[in-house]
Amino acid sequence: MKTSLVNTVWHSEKRKNLLLLLSEGERDLEQIKKSLNVTTRSIMPQIKTLKNQNLIAQEHENFSLTSIGNIIAKNMLPFLETSRIVEENKDFWASRNFDAIPQHLFSRIKDLGHYFLIEPDINHMFELPREFVDNIPKSESIITFISYLHPMFLSLYLKAAESGSDISLFVSEAVLKKMKKEYFEQFSDLTKMKNATIFLCKENPKIPMITMTNWFCYICLFNEEERYDHRDVISFDDSSLKWCDELFDYYRTNSEELCQITDFE
């Protein structure tokens, strides 16, 4: 009985890795052995299997993907990257609420790349995370959406604006009211800064905060109970910045820029 392509590809780590390697370009046997850290004896049966399934071809000493092999390898990569994202912190991702992420971006969660999960020490649970506080002042541009206002948030962003950072701040209606009521002086100072723009989201996405700067993104998600448990994700990969930029484009279509001081009253 002929082995299925699914079994051929996924039931062997060596075959899977060989397909991914050849998706980068043709290789000879010595290059394959060195890249995959395998022996001739262990890899040749896998090469034979992939050749029999018409997934790789051989010309003289070089091996390359066939058209079918190329299609399969390219479609393997998104699945493997998504699996890696989830597998690294399975409990975290399984307990998140993703209602604020549009489907076309949720399906590309792999674009977060090599991220770090920030889990606060119990003694610092209600402080702004050090990873966030340390990196904001280093940023030339900052785009943030918040529906959860930390007491230190405005002072941090006001300081960044005074240092020359370009700031776009998207806020929920509840946060806007809280800023005006409890932090009016800092809020008023921020609105007067020429390099700071504030947007009001007409509908409140179910997300505590998401921030994108010119060099990192910081994502806070509610858990399944729609509570913020202070477990956050930070990524410095270019793909994560592009992902966040598209997310803010999505939010921007449902937001209104508050241009004048009267808009805030």
Side-chain angles (χ1 to χ4, degrees), residues 64-83:
S64 62
L65 294 179
T66 63
S67 296
I68 297 299
N70 190 49
I71 291 172
I72 289 177
K74 285 185 176 180
N75 282 279
M76 286 167 59
L77 286 170
F79 174 80
L80 291 171
E81 282 299 299
T82 302
S83 297

Side-chain angles (χ1 to χ4, degrees), residues 128 132 136 139 141-150 153-154 156-157 160 166-172 175 179 190 197-201 205 207-213 216-220 244 247-248 251-252 255:
L128 281 173
F132 181 77
I136 283 293
S139 302
S141 63
I142 305 166
I143 306 175
T144 292
F145 167 80
I146 52 169
S147 65
Y148 163 81
L149 183 61
H150 189 279
F153 182 87
L154 276 174
L156 178 66
Y157 273 55
D166 291 321
I167 294 176
S168 295
L169 181 59
F170 293 75
V171 300
S172 66
V175 164
M179 284 178 173
L190 185 62
T197 307
I198 299 179
F199 299 84
L200 174 63
C201 289
I207 190 168
M209 182 181 75
I210 182 167
T211 291
M212 180 189 74
T213 77
F216 81 96
C217 70
Y218 199 91
I219 301 171
C220 312
C244 284
L247 181 60
F248 276 107
Y251 290 158
R252 194 175 281 109
S255 301

Side-chain angles (χ1 to χ4, degrees), residues 187-204:
F187 172 71
S188 179
D189 288 343
L190 185 62
T191 62
K192 294 173 185 175
M193 302 290 292
K194 293 183 178 180
N195 52 328
T197 307
I198 299 179
F199 299 84
L200 174 63
C201 289
K202 298 174 185 177
E203 294 182 10
N204 181 19

Side-chain angles (χ1 to χ4, degrees), residues 13-167:
E13 195 73 15
K14 289 188 178 69
R15 291 196 291 266
K16 181 181 68 177
N17 290 338
L18 178 55
L19 287 172
L20 293 175
L21 176 65
L22 294 181
S23 70
E24 300 172 0
E26 67 177 22
R27 300 286 194 278
D28 62 27
L29 182 59
E30 290 304 314
Q31 291 172 320
I32 290 171
K33 287 162 57 178
K34 183 177 181 180
S35 296
L36 301 183
N37 192 26
V38 293
T39 63
T40 301
R41 183 175 181 179
S42 67
I43 199 62
M44 284 308 298
Q46 314 311 328
I47 291 176
K48 181 179 179 181
T49 298
L50 293 173
K51 287 174 66 176
N52 288 341
Q53 289 281 31
N54 196 33
L55 297 180
I56 67 173
Q58 180 177 2
E59 184 174 356
H60 304 300
E61 300 299 320
N62 293 330
F63 299 91
S64 62
L65 294 179
T66 63
S67 296
I68 297 299
N70 190 49
I71 291 172
I72 289 177
K74 285 185 176 180
N75 282 279
M76 286 167 59
L77 286 170
F79 174 80
L80 291 171
E81 282 299 299
T82 302
S83 297
R84 179 191 60 78
I85 290 280
V86 174
E87 193 67 32
E88 287 178 355
N89 295 284
K90 190 182 297 182
D91 292 342
F92 170 77
W93 293 110
S95 63
R96 295 306 96 184
N97 183 311
F98 296 105
D99 289 350
I101 311 297
Q103 184 59 43
H104 72 283
L105 290 175
F106 179 65
S107 65
R108 286 169 42 208
I109 200 76
K110 65 178 180 60
D111 290 352
L112 293 180
H114 295 87
Y115 68 94
F116 301 93
L117 179 62
I118 310 300
E119 299 189 86
D121 182 276
I122 193 170
N123 296 317
H124 302 89
M125 179 67 75
F126 300 107
E127 297 178 8
L128 281 173
R130 177 182 55 80
E131 293 82 357
F132 181 77
V133 173
D134 289 350
N135 285 301
I136 283 293
K138 304 173 186 176
S139 302
E140 297 174 0
S141 63
I142 305 166
I143 306 175
T144 292
F145 167 80
I146 52 169
S147 65
Y148 163 81
L149 183 61
H150 189 279
M152 297 302 297
F153 182 87
L154 276 174
S155 61
L156 178 66
Y157 273 55
L158 184 58
K159 185 176 181 179
E162 289 171 344
S163 298
S165 300
D166 291 321
I167 294 176

